[in-house]
């Protein structure tokens, strides 16, 4: 019995040491600028680097702070007819959190396929009741990279993406988290966002983030 306990204790210590001693892999590659932004070759090079080629027919609108970002995003969610793909780092309970939960749930009940990916750490201030209501409405909700005993060394491996794609045609990205703290002008610095719409929405449909398969 004592031997079994000793073996178990040694195994636990070994696993913990491996978790904390193994560093994250880093890929560092310095890219030298070869073209100016105005050069047509710049767009071709960026398309090759990022994956999808850069195409015309897109419209971009800047959004500043939560007072502009949240109404635009919520309006797009409420207009969804087929699909909603949503990923965010911070999702906190509050007035804004409930507004997003209600809008996403309403669309899910209407038959829209809604996929939500929340960071496990960033959504720590989200009430369980709100999360359960969203799942009960038919929303596919996943928590990215929850803490496990075997991944303690990768606790800081988070998804900081803030993305929304509606019907494969309208997309949003920016710096605002889903929380009342981003309403108005933040105390520290302003937060920006962009709305991108395209008549060639097939490119947006390919933008399901890799976090969906690596969480």
């Amino acid at each position: 019995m004592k031997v079994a306990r000793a073996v178990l204790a040694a195994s636990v210590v070994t696993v913990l040491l491996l978790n904390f001693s193994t560093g994250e892999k880093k890929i560092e590659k310095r890219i030298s600028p070869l073209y100016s932004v105005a050069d047509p070759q710049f767009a071709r090079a960026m398309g090759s680097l990022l994956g999808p080629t850069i195409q015309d027919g897109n419209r971009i609108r800047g959004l500043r702070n939560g007072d502009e970002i949240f109404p635009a995003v919520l309006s797009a969610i409420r207009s969804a007819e087929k699909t909603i793909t949503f990923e965010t780092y911070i999702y906190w309970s509050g007035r804004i959190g409930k507004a997003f939960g209600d809008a996403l749930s309403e669309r899910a009940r209407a038959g829209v396929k809604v996929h939500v990916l929340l960071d496990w750490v960033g959504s720590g201030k989200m009430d369980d009741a709100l999360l359960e209501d969203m799942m009960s409405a038919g929303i596919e909700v996943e928590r990215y990279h929850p803490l496990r005993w075997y991944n303690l060394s990768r606790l800081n491996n988070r998804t900081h993406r803030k993305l929304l794609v509606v019907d494969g045609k309208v997309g949003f990205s920016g710096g605002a988290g889903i929380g009342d703290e981003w309403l108005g002008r933040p105390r520290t610095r302003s937060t920006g966002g962009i709305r991108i719409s395209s008549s060639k929405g097939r490119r947006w449909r390919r933008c399901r983030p890799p976090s969906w398969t690596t969480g």
Side-chain angles (χ1 to χ4, degrees):
M1 188 68 176
K2 292 183 178 179
V3 174
R5 290 178 178 175
V7 172
L8 179 60
S11 299
V12 171
V13 171
T14 301
V15 169
L16 291 175
L17 288 175
L18 288 174
N19 266 296
F20 286 105
S21 62
T22 304
E24 294 185 6
K25 295 181 179 179
K26 296 182 179 180
I27 300 176
E28 296 182 358
K29 182 175 178 61
R30 185 178 295 277
I31 301 176
S32 301
L34 301 177
Y35 319 102
S36 68
V37 176
D39 193 318
Q41 183 61 30
F42 178 82
R44 290 192 290 270
M46 289 300 294
S48 299
L49 179 65
L50 299 177
T53 58
I54 297 177
Q55 299 181 338
D56 57 5
N58 300 316
R59 295 180 300 279
I60 300 177
R61 178 163 66 93
L63 304 167
R64 188 170 183 178
N65 297 325
D67 286 351
E68 292 185 3
I69 296 172
F70 294 143
V73 174
L74 287 169
S75 176
I77 290 174
R78 290 164 181 151
S79 69
E81 298 178 352
K82 297 179 180 179
T83 61
I84 297 174
T85 302
F86 180 48
E87 178 177 1
T88 187
Y89 173 63
I90 288 180
Y91 195 127
W92 296 340
S93 291
R95 183 157 62 93
I96 292 300
K98 186 177 187 307
F100 270 76
D102 289 346
L104 292 167
S105 297
E106 188 279 327
R107 286 292 80 200
R109 293 190 183 95
V112 175
K113 294 182 179 179
V114 182
H115 311 280
V116 174
L117 180 61
L118 306 173
D119 186 82
W120 185 80
V121 171
S123 60
K125 295 182 180 180
M126 184 179 186
D127 291 339
D128 291 339
L130 176 58
L131 188 62
E132 291 171 2
D133 288 344
M134 293 169 64
M135 296 175 68
S136 297
I139 298 175
E140 178 191 2
V141 180
E142 297 290 344
R143 307 289 284 276
Y144 178 74
H145 198 191
L147 181 63
R148 298 284 188 266
W149 63 268
Y150 52 79
N151 65 8
L152 296 178
S153 64
R154 296 190 296 119
L155 176 62
N156 199 39
N157 180 8
R158 315 279 17 122
T159 172
H160 288 276
R161 297 185 185 92
K162 302 172 184 67
L163 300 171
L164 173 75
V165 180
V166 175
D167 291 336
K169 297 179 181 180
V170 178
F172 292 84
S173 186
I178 307 304
D180 295 349
E181 285 74 3
W182 280 268
L183 285 169
R185 182 178 178 83
R187 292 187 297 273
T188 55
R189 59 182 178 179
S190 61
T191 301
I194 58 172
R195 179 188 188 276
I196 306 174
S197 58
S198 173
S199 58
K200 301 176 181 179
R202 61 184 180 276
R203 290 293 176 184
W204 275 114
R205 295 189 182 94
R206 299 178 186 176
C207 291
R208 188 166 172 129
S211 304
W212 283 93
T213 56
T214 59

